[in-house]
Amino acid sequence: MAEKSFAEKVYQVTKQIPRGKVASYRDIAHQLQCKAYRAVGSALNKNPHAPIVPCHRVVNSDGNLGGFASGLKKKIKMLRKEGVIIEKNKINLVNFGHKWS
């Protein structure tokens, strides 16, 4: 059996982020034991498994929303629907950051 691609590993980790929480590109890279933050973003930008892989729940490490292939307005709408509070295009990671177990 072939080993999973980097992108598939990113999608597997991203699926663990629960509704109403967010994680950063850096958090996901750390879960994969690497520092390839930009590669995580690149993989999520091409996510063929949305919304099963909830890439809208991934933000910058400072809480800024970052990008979203479907547009920032849609990302904001999806996060707010899940109860995430966004102020000035930023999320309070203390309140809404996913804690990895």
Side-chain angles (χ1 to χ4, degrees):
M1 184 174 207
E3 187 175 330
K4 288 183 182 174
S5 69
F6 179 79
E8 288 300 323
K9 291 176 185 176
V10 169
Y11 304 147
Q12 185 176 15
V13 170
T14 303
K15 282 200 303 191
Q16 298 173 24
I17 306 167
R19 183 177 179 84
K21 295 290 183 180
V22 298
S24 71
Y25 300 99
R26 180 172 54 187
D27 291 336
I28 292 169
H30 285 174
Q31 288 299 305
L32 297 172
Q33 299 177 354
C34 71
K35 292 184 179 182
Y37 318 136
R38 286 179 180 258
V40 168
S42 180
L44 291 174
N45 182 260
K46 298 170 182 67
N47 176 11
H49 308 292
I52 296 164
V53 174
C55 54
H56 66 283
R57 296 181 188 148
V58 183
V59 299
N60 293 341
S61 58
D62 64 358
N64 280 310
L65 292 176
F68 191 57
S70 299
L72 213 47
K73 285 184 180 181
K74 185 168 183 176
K75 183 174 189 171
I76 291 168
K77 183 178 179 182
M78 293 171 81
L79 288 169
R80 285 191 171 144
K81 187 176 180 182
E82 294 182 4
V84 176
I85 297 170
I86 302 163
E87 294 178 348
K88 298 179 183 172
N89 284 342
K90 204 166 184 175
I91 296 169
N92 182 326
L93 296 178
V94 172
N95 295 336
F96 296 101
H98 174 53
K99 305 294 184 248
W100 301 96
S101 53

Short mmCIF file of all heavy atoms in Angstrom, two decimals, residues 36-93:
data_model
loop_
_atom_site.label_atom_id
_atom_site.label_comp_id
_atom_site.label_asym_id
_atom_site.label_seq_id
_atom_site.Cartn_x
_atom_site.Cartn_y
_atom_site.Cartn_z
N ALA A 36 6.42 22.95 7.55
CA ALA A 36 6.00 23.30 6.19
C ALA A 36 4.65 24.01 6.21
O ALA A 36 3.66 23.56 5.63
CB ALA A 36 5.96 22.06 5.32
N TYR A 37 4.61 25.18 6.86
CA TYR A 37 3.35 25.91 7.02
C TYR A 37 2.74 26.30 5.67
O TYR A 37 1.55 26.16 5.46
CB TYR A 37 3.54 27.18 7.86
CG TYR A 37 4.42 27.03 9.07
CD1 TYR A 37 5.38 27.98 9.38
CD2 TYR A 37 4.30 25.93 9.91
CE1 TYR A 37 6.19 27.85 10.51
CE2 TYR A 37 5.10 25.79 11.04
CZ TYR A 37 6.05 26.75 11.32
OH TYR A 37 6.85 26.62 12.43
N ARG A 38 3.59 26.79 4.79
CA ARG A 38 3.09 27.21 3.47
C ARG A 38 2.59 26.02 2.66
O ARG A 38 1.62 26.13 1.91
CB ARG A 38 4.17 27.97 2.70
CG ARG A 38 4.40 29.37 3.24
CD ARG A 38 5.50 30.07 2.45
NE ARG A 38 5.73 31.40 2.94
CZ ARG A 38 5.27 32.50 2.34
NH1 ARG A 38 4.57 32.40 1.23
NH2 ARG A 38 5.53 33.67 2.85
N ALA A 39 3.26 24.90 2.80
CA ALA A 39 2.83 23.69 2.08
C ALA A 39 1.47 23.23 2.60
O ALA A 39 0.64 22.73 1.82
CB ALA A 39 3.86 22.59 2.23
N VAL A 40 1.22 23.41 3.88
CA VAL A 40 -0.09 23.09 4.45
C VAL A 40 -1.14 23.98 3.78
O VAL A 40 -2.18 23.50 3.32
CB VAL A 40 -0.11 23.29 5.98
CG1 VAL A 40 -1.53 23.25 6.53
CG2 VAL A 40 0.76 22.24 6.67
N GLY A 41 -0.85 25.27 3.69
CA GLY A 41 -1.78 26.20 3.05
C GLY A 41 -2.01 25.86 1.59
O GLY A 41 -3.15 25.91 1.10
N SER A 42 -0.96 25.48 0.91
CA SER A 42 -1.08 25.11 -0.50
C SER A 42 -1.95 23.87 -0.68
O SER A 42 -2.81 23.81 -1.56
CB SER A 42 0.32 24.86 -1.07
OG SER A 42 0.25 24.51 -2.42
N ALA A 43 -1.76 22.88 0.19
CA ALA A 43 -2.58 21.67 0.14
C ALA A 43 -4.05 22.00 0.40
O ALA A 43 -4.94 21.51 -0.31
CB ALA A 43 -2.07 20.64 1.15
N LEU A 44 -4.30 22.84 1.39
CA LEU A 44 -5.68 23.19 1.73
C LEU A 44 -6.34 24.02 0.63
O LEU A 44 -7.54 23.93 0.41
CB LEU A 44 -5.74 23.91 3.08
CG LEU A 44 -5.42 23.02 4.28
CD1 LEU A 44 -5.35 23.84 5.55
CD2 LEU A 44 -6.42 21.89 4.42
N ASN A 45 -5.54 24.81 -0.08
CA ASN A 45 -6.07 25.61 -1.18
C ASN A 45 -6.61 24.72 -2.30
O ASN A 45 -7.51 25.10 -3.03
CB ASN A 45 -4.98 26.54 -1.71
CG ASN A 45 -5.49 27.43 -2.82
OD1 ASN A 45 -5.25 27.15 -4.00
ND2 ASN A 45 -6.19 28.48 -2.46
N LYS A 46 -6.09 23.52 -2.39
CA LYS A 46 -6.50 22.58 -3.43
C LYS A 46 -7.39 21.46 -2.87
O LYS A 46 -7.57 20.42 -3.51
CB LYS A 46 -5.26 21.97 -4.09
CG LYS A 46 -4.38 22.98 -4.79
CD LYS A 46 -3.06 22.36 -5.19
CE LYS A 46 -2.13 23.34 -5.85
NZ LYS A 46 -1.63 24.39 -4.97
N ASN A 47 -7.91 21.63 -1.68
CA ASN A 47 -8.69 20.62 -0.96
C ASN A 47 -9.87 20.09 -1.81
O ASN A 47 -10.86 20.80 -2.00
CB ASN A 47 -9.22 21.24 0.33
CG ASN A 47 -10.13 20.32 1.11
OD1 ASN A 47 -10.24 19.15 0.83
ND2 ASN A 47 -10.78 20.89 2.11
N PRO A 48 -9.79 18.85 -2.29
CA PRO A 48 -10.89 18.29 -3.07
C PRO A 48 -11.98 17.67 -2.20
O PRO A 48 -12.98 17.19 -2.71
CB PRO A 48 -10.20 17.21 -3.91
CG PRO A 48 -9.10 16.72 -3.02
CD PRO A 48 -8.64 17.94 -2.23
N HIS A 49 -11.78 17.67 -0.88
CA HIS A 49 -12.69 16.98 0.03
C HIS A 49 -13.59 17.92 0.85
O HIS A 49 -14.22 17.47 1.80
CB HIS A 49 -11.89 16.10 1.00
CG HIS A 49 -10.94 15.18 0.33
ND1 HIS A 49 -11.33 14.11 -0.45
CD2 HIS A 49 -9.59 15.17 0.32
CE1 HIS A 49 -10.26 13.48 -0.91
NE2 HIS A 49 -9.19 14.10 -0.46
N ALA A 50 -13.61 19.21 0.51
CA ALA A 50 -14.46 20.14 1.26
C ALA A 50 -15.92 19.78 1.04
O ALA A 50 -16.29 19.35 -0.05
CB ALA A 50 -14.19 21.56 0.81
N PRO A 51 -16.79 19.89 2.01
CA PRO A 51 -16.57 20.36 3.38
C PRO A 51 -16.21 19.24 4.36
O PRO A 51 -16.10 19.49 5.55
CB PRO A 51 -17.92 20.97 3.75
CG PRO A 51 -18.90 20.10 3.03
CD PRO A 51 -18.21 19.70 1.73
N ILE A 52 -16.02 18.02 3.87
CA ILE A 52 -15.63 16.92 4.76
C ILE A 52 -14.31 17.25 5.45
O ILE A 52 -14.13 17.00 6.64
CB ILE A 52 -15.54 15.59 3.99
CG1 ILE A 52 -16.93 15.19 3.47
CG2 ILE A 52 -14.96 14.48 4.86
CD1 ILE A 52 -16.90 14.13 2.40
N VAL A 53 -13.38 17.84 4.70
CA VAL A 53 -12.14 18.37 5.27
C VAL A 53 -12.39 19.87 5.42
O VAL A 53 -12.42 20.60 4.44
CB VAL A 53 -10.93 18.10 4.36
CG1 VAL A 53 -9.70 18.80 4.89
CG2 VAL A 53 -10.67 16.60 4.22
N PRO A 54 -12.61 20.34 6.65
CA PRO A 54 -13.07 21.72 6.89
C PRO A 54 -11.94 22.75 6.83
O PRO A 54 -11.55 23.33 7.85
CB PRO A 54 -13.68 21.64 8.28
CG PRO A 54 -12.85 20.59 8.97
CD PRO A 54 -12.54 19.57 7.90
N CYS A 55 -11.43 23.02 5.64
CA CYS A 55 -10.31 23.94 5.50
C CYS A 55 -10.68 25.37 5.91
O CYS A 55 -9.79 26.16 6.22
CB CYS A 55 -9.74 23.89 4.09
SG CYS A 55 -10.94 24.17 2.79
N HIS A 56 -11.96 25.68 5.98
CA HIS A 56 -12.37 27.02 6.43
C HIS A 56 -12.02 27.23 7.91
O HIS A 56 -11.99 28.36 8.37
CB HIS A 56 -13.87 27.24 6.20
CG HIS A 56 -14.76 26.37 7.02
ND1 HIS A 56 -14.98 25.03 6.72
CD2 HIS A 56 -15.46 26.63 8.15
CE1 HIS A 56 -15.80 24.52 7.63
NE2 HIS A 56 -16.10 25.46 8.51
N ARG A 57 -11.71 26.16 8.63
CA ARG A 57 -11.36 26.27 10.05
C ARG A 57 -9.87 26.48 10.28
O ARG A 57 -9.41 26.41 11.41
CB ARG A 57 -11.81 25.00 10.79
CG ARG A 57 -13.31 24.82 10.79
CD ARG A 57 -13.74 23.58 11.53
NE ARG A 57 -15.17 23.36 11.35
CZ ARG A 57 -15.73 22.17 11.32
NH1 ARG A 57 -15.01 21.08 11.49
NH2 ARG A 57 -17.04 22.06 11.13
N VAL A 58 -9.12 26.74 9.22
CA VAL A 58 -7.68 26.94 9.35
C VAL A 58 -7.36 28.41 9.11
O VAL A 58 -7.79 29.01 8.13
CB VAL A 58 -6.90 26.04 8.36
CG1 VAL A 58 -5.40 26.21 8.57
CG2 VAL A 58 -7.30 24.58 8.54
N VAL A 59 -6.61 29.00 10.06
CA VAL A 59 -6.29 30.43 10.05
C VAL A 59 -4.79 30.63 10.26
O VAL A 59 -4.06 29.68 10.54
CB VAL A 59 -7.10 31.17 11.14
CG1 VAL A 59 -8.60 31.03 10.90
CG2 VAL A 59 -6.74 30.68 12.53
N ASN A 60 -4.37 31.87 10.18
CA ASN A 60 -2.97 32.20 10.47
C ASN A 60 -2.70 32.03 11.96
O ASN A 60 -3.62 32.10 12.78
CB ASN A 60 -2.65 33.63 10.04
CG ASN A 60 -2.71 33.82 8.54
OD1 ASN A 60 -2.64 32.87 7.77
ND2 ASN A 60 -2.85 35.07 8.12
N SER A 61 -1.44 31.88 12.32
CA SER A 61 -1.08 31.62 13.72
C SER A 61 -1.35 32.81 14.64
O SER A 61 -1.37 32.65 15.85
CB SER A 61 0.37 31.17 13.83
OG SER A 61 1.21 32.15 13.29
N ASP A 62 -1.59 34.00 14.08
CA ASP A 62 -1.92 35.17 14.90
C ASP A 62 -3.44 35.39 14.99
O ASP A 62 -3.89 36.38 15.55
CB ASP A 62 -1.22 36.43 14.38
CG ASP A 62 -1.67 36.82 12.98
OD1 ASP A 62 -2.50 36.11 12.37
OD2 ASP A 62 -1.17 37.85 12.49
N GLY A 63 -4.21 34.48 14.41
CA GLY A 63 -5.66 34.59 14.46
C GLY A 63 -6.27 35.27 13.25
O GLY A 63 -7.49 35.26 13.09
N ASN A 64 -5.43 35.87 12.38
CA ASN A 64 -5.96 36.45 11.15
C ASN A 64 -6.55 35.34 10.28
O ASN A 64 -6.07 34.21 10.31
CB ASN A 64 -4.88 37.21 10.38
CG ASN A 64 -4.65 38.60 10.96
OD1 ASN A 64 -5.59 39.35 11.18
ND2 ASN A 64 -3.40 38.92 11.22
N LEU A 65 -7.55 35.67 9.52
CA LEU A 65 -8.28 34.66 8.77
C LEU A 65 -7.48 33.93 7.71
O LEU A 65 -7.78 32.79 7.39
CB LEU A 65 -9.52 35.29 8.13
CG LEU A 65 -10.59 35.74 9.11
CD1 LEU A 65 -11.72 36.42 8.39
CD2 LEU A 65 -11.11 34.56 9.91
N GLY A 66 -6.46 34.56 7.16
CA GLY A 66 -5.70 33.90 6.10
C GLY A 66 -6.53 33.88 4.82
O GLY A 66 -7.44 34.68 4.64
N GLY A 67 -6.25 32.93 3.96
CA GLY A 67 -6.95 32.86 2.69
C GLY A 67 -8.03 31.80 2.69
O GLY A 67 -8.21 31.06 3.65
N PHE A 68 -8.74 31.74 1.58
CA PHE A 68 -9.76 30.71 1.39
C PHE A 68 -10.08 30.67 -0.09
O PHE A 68 -10.39 31.70 -0.70
CB PHE A 68 -11.01 31.06 2.21
CG PHE A 68 -12.02 29.96 2.28
CD1 PHE A 68 -11.68 28.70 2.77
CD2 PHE A 68 -13.33 30.16 1.88
CE1 PHE A 68 -12.62 27.68 2.85
CE2 PHE A 68 -14.27 29.16 1.96
CZ PHE A 68 -13.92 27.91 2.46
N ALA A 69 -9.99 29.50 -0.68
CA ALA A 69 -10.16 29.35 -2.13
C ALA A 69 -11.52 29.86 -2.60
O ALA A 69 -11.63 30.40 -3.70
CB ALA A 69 -9.96 27.89 -2.54
N SER A 70 -12.55 29.74 -1.76
CA SER A 70 -13.90 30.18 -2.14
C SER A 70 -14.17 31.63 -1.77
O SER A 70 -15.30 32.10 -1.90
CB SER A 70 -14.95 29.28 -1.48
OG SER A 70 -14.80 27.96 -1.91
N GLY A 71 -13.17 32.33 -1.28
CA GLY A 71 -13.32 33.74 -0.91
C GLY A 71 -13.50 33.94 0.59
O GLY A 71 -14.09 33.10 1.27
N LEU A 72 -12.96 35.04 1.06
CA LEU A 72 -12.96 35.34 2.49
C LEU A 72 -14.37 35.53 3.04
O LEU A 72 -14.66 35.12 4.17
CB LEU A 72 -12.11 36.58 2.74
CG LEU A 72 -11.36 36.64 4.04
CD1 LEU A 72 -10.61 35.35 4.34
CD2 LEU A 72 -10.40 37.81 4.04
N LYS A 73 -15.27 36.13 2.26
CA LYS A 73 -16.65 36.33 2.74
C LYS A 73 -17.31 34.99 3.07
O LYS A 73 -18.01 34.87 4.06
CB LYS A 73 -17.47 37.10 1.71
CG LYS A 73 -17.14 38.57 1.65
CD LYS A 73 -18.04 39.30 0.69
CE LYS A 73 -17.68 40.78 0.65
NZ LYS A 73 -18.55 41.53 -0.26
N LYS A 74 -17.08 34.00 2.23
CA LYS A 74 -17.66 32.68 2.47
C LYS A 74 -17.04 32.03 3.70
O LYS A 74 -17.74 31.41 4.50
CB LYS A 74 -17.48 31.78 1.25
CG LYS A 74 -18.18 30.46 1.41
CD LYS A 74 -18.27 29.68 0.14
CE LYS A 74 -19.04 28.40 0.38
NZ LYS A 74 -19.25 27.64 -0.82
N LYS A 75 -15.73 32.20 3.88
CA LYS A 75 -15.05 31.65 5.06
C LYS A 75 -15.64 32.25 6.33
O LYS A 75 -15.95 31.54 7.28
CB LYS A 75 -13.55 31.92 4.98
CG LYS A 75 -12.74 31.32 6.11
CD LYS A 75 -11.25 31.52 5.87
CE LYS A 75 -10.40 30.76 6.86
NZ LYS A 75 -8.97 30.78 6.51
N ILE A 76 -15.81 33.56 6.34
CA ILE A 76 -16.38 34.27 7.49
C ILE A 76 -17.80 33.75 7.78
O ILE A 76 -18.14 33.45 8.92
CB ILE A 76 -16.37 35.79 7.26
CG1 ILE A 76 -14.93 36.31 7.29
CG2 ILE A 76 -17.24 36.51 8.29
CD1 ILE A 76 -14.76 37.73 6.80
N LYS A 77 -18.59 33.62 6.73
CA LYS A 77 -19.98 33.16 6.89
C LYS A 77 -20.01 31.74 7.49
O LYS A 77 -20.79 31.46 8.40
CB LYS A 77 -20.67 33.17 5.53
CG LYS A 77 -22.13 32.79 5.57
CD LYS A 77 -22.75 32.88 4.18
CE LYS A 77 -24.20 32.47 4.22
NZ LYS A 77 -24.80 32.52 2.88
N MET A 78 -19.14 30.86 6.99
CA MET A 78 -19.11 29.48 7.48
C MET A 78 -18.68 29.42 8.94
O MET A 78 -19.27 28.70 9.74
CB MET A 78 -18.17 28.65 6.61
CG MET A 78 -18.68 28.46 5.20
SD MET A 78 -17.45 27.70 4.12
CE MET A 78 -17.66 25.97 4.59
N LEU A 79 -17.66 30.20 9.30
CA LEU A 79 -17.17 30.20 10.69
C LEU A 79 -18.21 30.78 11.63
O LEU A 79 -18.45 30.24 12.72
CB LEU A 79 -15.84 30.96 10.79
CG LEU A 79 -14.64 30.25 10.19
CD1 LEU A 79 -13.44 31.19 10.10
CD2 LEU A 79 -14.28 29.00 10.98
N ARG A 80 -18.84 31.88 11.24
CA ARG A 80 -19.88 32.49 12.09
C ARG A 80 -21.05 31.54 12.28
O ARG A 80 -21.62 31.47 13.37
CB ARG A 80 -20.33 33.82 11.50
CG ARG A 80 -19.31 34.91 11.72
CD ARG A 80 -19.84 36.27 11.39
NE ARG A 80 -18.88 37.29 11.82
CZ ARG A 80 -18.64 38.41 11.17
NH1 ARG A 80 -19.27 38.69 10.04
NH2 ARG A 80 -17.74 39.27 11.64
N LYS A 81 -21.40 30.79 11.25
CA LYS A 81 -22.50 29.82 11.35
C LYS A 81 -22.17 28.75 12.40
O LYS A 81 -23.05 28.21 13.04
CB LYS A 81 -22.73 29.17 9.99
CG LYS A 81 -23.93 28.28 9.93
CD LYS A 81 -24.16 27.77 8.52
CE LYS A 81 -25.38 26.87 8.49
NZ LYS A 81 -25.61 26.32 7.16
N GLU A 82 -20.87 28.49 12.60
CA GLU A 82 -20.43 27.50 13.59
C GLU A 82 -20.24 28.12 14.98
O GLU A 82 -19.85 27.45 15.91
CB GLU A 82 -19.11 26.87 13.14
CG GLU A 82 -19.24 26.03 11.90
CD GLU A 82 -17.95 25.37 11.48
OE1 GLU A 82 -16.94 25.48 12.20
OE2 GLU A 82 -17.95 24.73 10.42
N GLY A 83 -20.49 29.43 15.10
CA GLY A 83 -20.39 30.10 16.39
C GLY A 83 -19.06 30.75 16.69
O GLY A 83 -18.83 31.23 17.80
N VAL A 84 -18.16 30.79 15.70
CA VAL A 84 -16.86 31.43 15.88
C VAL A 84 -17.04 32.95 15.76
O VAL A 84 -17.64 33.43 14.80
CB VAL A 84 -15.83 30.93 14.84
CG1 VAL A 84 -14.51 31.67 14.99
CG2 VAL A 84 -15.62 29.42 14.99
N ILE A 85 -16.53 33.68 16.74
CA ILE A 85 -16.64 35.14 16.72
C ILE A 85 -15.42 35.71 16.01
O ILE A 85 -14.28 35.39 16.34
CB ILE A 85 -16.75 35.70 18.15
CG1 ILE A 85 -18.05 35.19 18.80
CG2 ILE A 85 -16.71 37.23 18.15
CD1 ILE A 85 -18.16 35.48 20.28
N ILE A 86 -15.68 36.57 15.02
CA ILE A 86 -14.62 37.19 14.23
C ILE A 86 -14.73 38.70 14.42
O ILE A 86 -15.79 39.28 14.19
CB ILE A 86 -14.77 36.84 12.74
CG1 ILE A 86 -14.75 35.32 12.57
CG2 ILE A 86 -13.69 37.52 11.91
CD1 ILE A 86 -15.29 34.84 11.25
N GLU A 87 -13.65 39.30 14.87
CA GLU A 87 -13.61 40.75 15.05
C GLU A 87 -12.43 41.31 14.28
O GLU A 87 -11.29 40.88 14.50
CB GLU A 87 -13.48 41.09 16.54
CG GLU A 87 -14.72 40.68 17.33
CD GLU A 87 -14.59 40.97 18.81
OE1 GLU A 87 -13.47 41.27 19.28
OE2 GLU A 87 -15.62 40.89 19.50
N LYS A 88 -12.71 42.23 13.35
CA LYS A 88 -11.68 42.84 12.51
C LYS A 88 -10.86 41.78 11.76
O LYS A 88 -9.64 41.82 11.73
CB LYS A 88 -10.77 43.75 13.34
CG LYS A 88 -11.52 44.91 13.98
CD LYS A 88 -10.61 45.77 14.82
CE LYS A 88 -11.42 46.86 15.50
NZ LYS A 88 -10.65 47.61 16.47
N ASN A 89 -11.58 40.83 11.18
CA ASN A 89 -10.98 39.72 10.42
C ASN A 89 -9.99 38.89 11.23
O ASN A 89 -9.03 38.34 10.69
CB ASN A 89 -10.32 40.22 9.13
CG ASN A 89 -11.35 40.54 8.07
OD1 ASN A 89 -12.50 40.10 8.16
ND2 ASN A 89 -10.96 41.30 7.08
N LYS A 90 -10.22 38.82 12.54
CA LYS A 90 -9.33 38.07 13.42
C LYS A 90 -10.16 37.23 14.39
O LYS A 90 -11.24 37.61 14.80
CB LYS A 90 -8.43 39.05 14.19
CG LYS A 90 -7.15 38.46 14.67
CD LYS A 90 -6.18 39.56 15.10
CE LYS A 90 -4.87 38.92 15.48
NZ LYS A 90 -3.85 39.88 15.80
N ILE A 91 -9.59 36.09 14.77
CA ILE A 91 -10.24 35.17 15.70
C ILE A 91 -9.39 35.07 16.96
O ILE A 91 -8.16 34.93 16.87
CB ILE A 91 -10.41 33.78 15.06
CG1 ILE A 91 -11.35 33.88 13.85
CG2 ILE A 91 -10.95 32.77 16.06
CD1 ILE A 91 -11.38 32.65 12.99
N ASN A 92 -10.04 35.13 18.12
CA ASN A 92 -9.34 34.96 19.39
C ASN A 92 -9.03 33.48 19.57
O ASN A 92 -9.92 32.67 19.83
CB ASN A 92 -10.21 35.48 20.53
CG ASN A 92 -9.53 35.40 21.86
OD1 ASN A 92 -8.76 34.48 22.14
ND2 ASN A 92 -9.85 36.35 22.73
N LEU A 93 -7.76 33.13 19.42
CA LEU A 93 -7.37 31.72 19.47
C LEU A 93 -7.46 31.14 20.88
O LEU A 93 -7.58 29.92 21.03
CB LEU A 93 -5.96 31.54 18.91
CG LEU A 93 -5.82 31.90 17.42
CD1 LEU A 93 -4.38 31.73 16.97
CD2 LEU A 93 -6.75 31.06 16.56
#
